[in-house]
Amino acid sequence: LAADGAHLKQVLAVLRAISVDSFGLLLDEMPSAKWPYLSKLLPAAPTPEMQRHLTGESGRSLLQNSVRFMRSVAHRFHVYTGRPLSRMKVLDFGFGYGRLTRIMLYYTDPECMFGCDPMPRSLEWASQFRLPGVFAQSDHVLTNLPFDNGIFDLIYAFSVFTHLSLDATRAALRTLL
């Protein structure tokens, strides 16, 4: 599928011909001795233990829930805007270890993918798992986005506001909206 020297954008264009479910399964295998060139380009998957520790589940169940959510986000974006997510500027607010960010690569290109999180560990994970996109640390109480041009076509947050105080939630919503 991927020849040595291929670029991530080229590989993603080919992979988008498969279902998002299959794309998610492939990402969960990375890195893989079976796919050495893809393993160089695609982000690595966290261990099942890490997934369980951070989300309470792992494996197929977590993948299915994650893909279902991202499919819904992409569908609703198209329903509300009349546009597909391809080449749209997307922000994963509170990206954590990048579980949903990786799946969003099915819908938009890496240069359009942004993520922010107040936890320094999230930036370490983005680097460790080679998440393509632009990632930055945000303030715990969000009053501005940590990007030069903070205008996004889509902003999503999964299981973020349940971890914030009411004041931090209000500040984030004022900033994001």
Side-chain angles (χ1 to χ4, degrees), residues 37-53:
Y37 297 123
L38 282 178
S39 295
K40 290 179 185 177
L41 295 174
L42 295 175
T47 65
E49 295 78 25
M50 180 183 179
Q51 292 176 28
R52 248 188 318 281
H53 174 74

Side-chain angles (χ1 to χ4, degrees), residues 6-177:
H7 296 284
L8 179 58
K9 258 179 99 164
Q10 295 168 310
V11 169
L12 288 172
V14 172
L15 290 176
R16 289 178 185 136
I18 65 176
S19 71
V20 67
D21 299 89
S22 296
F23 182 77
L25 286 169
L26 178 65
L27 289 179
D28 263 6
E29 290 186 29
M30 293 296 119
S32 169
K34 182 171 52 175
W35 305 102
Y37 297 123
L38 282 178
S39 295
K40 290 179 185 177
L41 295 174
L42 295 175
T47 65
E49 295 78 25
M50 180 183 179
Q51 292 176 28
R52 248 188 318 281
H53 174 74
L54 293 170
T55 67
E57 61 180 328
S58 66
R60 290 279 170 103
S61 175
L62 180 60
L63 177 62
Q64 288 171 343
N65 289 335
S66 302
V67 167
R68 191 176 303 121
F69 175 74
M70 296 313 290
R71 187 185 297 113
S72 174
V73 167
H75 174 73
R76 288 291 165 204
F77 181 84
H78 187 265
V79 166
Y80 291 126
T81 67
R83 300 177 297 168
L85 272 172
S86 61
R87 294 189 305 276
M88 294 293 123
K89 196 170 167 189
V90 177
L91 173 63
D92 184 342
F93 177 68
F95 71 92
Y97 66 91
R99 171 174 60 101
L100 300 174
T101 309
R102 293 175 331 125
I103 296 168
M104 182 53 79
L105 291 170
Y106 183 81
Y107 297 103
T108 196
D109 290 331
E111 67 271 13
C112 298
M113 192 67 234
F114 293 76
C116 66
D117 198 293
M119 305 304 295
R121 184 71 177 146
S122 292
L123 295 175
E124 292 169 18
W125 288 328
S127 176
Q128 176 185 344
F129 299 129
R130 299 180 336 276
L131 285 177
V134 178
F135 301 94
Q137 186 172 353
S138 57
D139 294 329
H140 283 276
V141 176
L142 192 70
T143 55
N144 60 2
L145 289 171
F147 305 105
D148 290 338
N149 181 357
I151 297 173
F152 296 94
D153 298 294
L154 171 69
I155 299 172
Y156 65 89
F158 185 89
S159 188
V160 171
F161 297 110
T162 57
H163 301 284
L164 301 180
S165 69
L166 182 57
D167 288 340
T169 297
R170 286 180 175 150
L173 289 173
R174 276 191 302 271
T175 303
L176 296 171
L177 299 176

